[in-house]
Amino acid sequence: MIRRCRLCAEDDVLIPQLTLDGSSAFGEPFTLSRCEECGAWQVDPPLSLDFIHSYFQAPERWRISHDPEGRPVDPAERAAARQGEYTKYASALINSLEEVGRVVDIGAGAGVMLSLLPDSFQRIAVEPHPDAAEAASRLGLTVMREWAENIDFPSESLTCLIMNQTFDHLRDPSGFLARAVHWLKPGGLLLLTGLINPDGLMPRLYGPGFRLWHPLYQIYPPPGAMVMVLGSHGFEVLRWWQPYFGTPYGSLKQLLLNIPEVLCRMMGKGRGQLSPAWPGNTYSLLARKTLLLQPLKDPARQGQGRALDPRMLAHPSSG
Ligand SMILES: [Zn+2]
C-alpha cells in the first residue's frame, strides 16, 4: 500500500513517530507518522471519512464537550471566549482584501468568525452540524449544510476562504487545497487557524503527553510545511499569529503558573503527564493567492518544511 503524505501528497515518505495508547479522550490507540518531505505529522493510518463525519455530526458535538483536563466546555461559551482572537483575524482580513465580495467559512460552527465581518460582504457559512448551522443562520449568515469534501464553488468566485480550526480535521488537506485554490479570485485570501505545530516546545518536551494529540486532528503541519505546500498551490503567506493570550486556555497568570513545571520538565524532572497550554502550541496564518506556483522539490526549498525558520515566527501578531 502506498503511504502518501496527506499534506504534500508525496509517496512513501511517512515514518512512524509515536503510538498513543487509549488514554486520550478518543479512547483508542493511534499512531502518528511524520512526512520526511514536508515534516507534517499525521494520523497513520487515517480515519475513514465516514468516521470523521459521524464524529463531527454527533449531537453531543454541539453540546458540552471536554477540554484536555476533562473540564466541561459549552460550545457557545467556547466560541464567545475566542472573540478577541477572531477579531484580530477579521481585522487582518478586512485590511488585506482588495475588494468586497463573497467570503466562505468552511466548518463555520455558529458563525462567530463570519459575523465579525461587515454585512457588505456576502458571508457564507458552510457547516454540516444542524444545531451549529441553525445558530449561524440566526446571525443573519447564508448557511450551506455541507462537508468540506463535498462543497464546490464556481472558479474565481470567492474573495476569501476561511477555515477556522477546520483545515487539520480534513482527511485529505492536499486534495482540498488543490480544489479550493480555483474558487478564489487572484489576490484572494485564505485564512487557516488553530494549526498545531508538532515541532513546538511542548510536543518535544512531553512526547506522548502533549495535550493536543488527538486522532480527529488528522494532520499536524509545522509552519515550514505550510509555507512549502501553500506555495506549491500558488499561495503566499502574508501573516502569522500564535493565538495563546486571548484564548480560553491562555493568560499571563496561567503562563507564570506553568513555567516551574515546564522548567522541571526541561531538566528531566517534570511531574505532570499532560503538557500545559503554551504559546506556540498552535498557530494561524493568512495567505494570498498569487498564481506563482512554487515547486515542492525546488532544491533551494528542499527540507524547508522540516524545521521552523525562526524568522517566520519572530514577530507573532499575538501570543
Ligand atoms: Zn509531506
Side-chain angles (χ1 to χ4, degrees), residues 18-38:
L18 269 182
T19 295
L20 283 292
D21 66 17
S23 63
S24 72
F26 185 57
E28 297 282 339
F30 62 98
T31 296
L32 292 166
S33 291
R34 178 180 176 278
C35 170
E36 282 189 301
E37 185 65 31
C38 74

Side-chain angles (χ1 to χ4, degrees), residues 40-182:
W41 290 44
Q42 44 216 284
V43 176
D44 181 25
L47 302 177
S48 75
L49 199 55
D50 282 349
F51 184 91
I52 296 169
H53 285 184
S54 57
Y55 177 90
F56 285 109
Q57 197 150 27
E60 63 269 24
R61 217 55 61 207
W62 198 246
R63 293 178 194 149
I64 303 293
S65 64
H66 293 85
D67 69 13
E69 279 82 18
R71 292 173 298 210
V73 188
D74 177 84
E77 276 175 34
R78 198 170 53 225
R82 288 189 171 268
Q83 187 129 348
E85 179 192 348
Y86 294 176
T87 302
K88 287 179 187 161
Y89 303 144
S91 157
L93 281 182
I94 293 164
N95 291 333
S96 306
L97 275 172
E98 290 167 352
E99 60 177 296
V100 174
R102 186 184 290 169
V103 179
V104 170
D105 185 347
I106 294 188
V112 175
M113 176 73 223
L114 272 182
S115 72
L116 299 173
L117 297 176
D119 57 12
S120 49
F121 290 93
Q122 187 189 355
R123 302 170 300 176
I124 301 176
V126 178
E127 173 52 53
H129 197 290
D131 298 342
E134 194 185 312
S137 62
R138 281 199 297 269
L139 293 178
L141 306 170
T142 302
V143 177
M144 299 170 74
R145 276 196 56 199
E146 195 53 273
W147 295 99
E149 290 81 8
N150 303 333
I151 197 88
D152 199 10
F153 294 97
S155 186
E156 300 190 359
S157 62
L158 311 184
T159 56
C160 180
L161 180 63
I162 298 169
M163 301 199 79
N164 193 10
Q165 304 189 1
T166 306
F167 183 72
D168 50 2
H169 294 300
L170 297 182
R171 190 176 190 276
D172 178 18
S174 165
F176 176 84
L177 279 177
R179 292 194 305 122
V181 69
H182 297 292

